Amino acid sequence: QVQLVQSGGGAVQAGDSLRLSCVASARTFSSYAMAWFRQAPGKEREFVATISWNAHNTYLPDSVKGRFTISRDNAKNTVYLQMNSLKPEDTAIYYCAAPKWTQYMSTVPSDFGSWGQGTQVTVSS
């Protein structure tokens, strides 16, 4: 299992930007696809972004495409989520996640076996 430690987040105004970081403990981090999810109060966990092990492939849903970018630095065991043009509806707790099978890219929370501790992002209008 991979230990994931998140940083970043906070309270911002609509239109602002934030960057979330997620550092992994595993020496095999570079073999893992990685993903970000979010969960708003009273709602199910929602897929936000995923990136392949070599960063050649990314996928983001329409709700954040064009505003959010996922990237990774395998030399630093870190995956990032750059969030621009934030909206109040982006308010949620954000989680980074590593899948149960290293190179497996997925958008389904149950396919992930390791989760960061979560970080709050609050966007006010």
Side-chain angles (χ1 to χ4, degrees):
Q1 214 170 17
V2 181
Q3 301 298 316
L4 302 172
V5 178
Q6 299 177 219
S7 61
V12 297
Q13 299 285 324
D16 286 349
S17 298
L18 281 173
R19 189 176 80 160
L20 306 182
S21 300
C22 173
V23 180
S25 62
R27 288 181 292 175
T28 55
F29 170 78
S30 60
S31 299
Y32 281 86
M34 293 293 295
W36 289 93
F37 291 81
R38 67 186 180 186
Q39 190 165 18
K43 294 188 176 181
E44 294 187 353
R45 195 160 294 191
E46 176 190 16
F47 166 74
V48 174
T50 186
I51 187 167
S52 61
W53 64 274
N54 58 5
H56 287 180
N57 296 295
T58 64
Y59 173 69
L60 297 87
D62 289 344
S63 58
V64 302
K65 192 177 296 181
R67 299 189 298 120
F68 290 12
T69 302
I70 185 171
S71 62
R72 66 190 297 160
D73 184 340
N74 285 344
K76 296 182 178 179
N77 275 21
T78 302
V79 61
Y80 304 97
L81 184 68
Q82 178 68 42
M83 304 183 291
N84 299 329
S85 303
L86 282 161
K87 303 177 181 180
E89 51 263 44
D90 295 319
T91 296
I93 298 174
Y94 284 70
Y95 300 89
C96 63
K100 297 175 182 176
W101 310 279
T102 56
Q103 297 186 17
Y104 187 67
M105 294 183 72
S106 175
T107 65
V108 178
S110 61
D111 287 339
F112 292 81
S114 301
W115 294 86
Q117 80 275 20
T119 186
Q120 178 71 46
V121 172
T122 302
V123 185
S124 57
S125 58

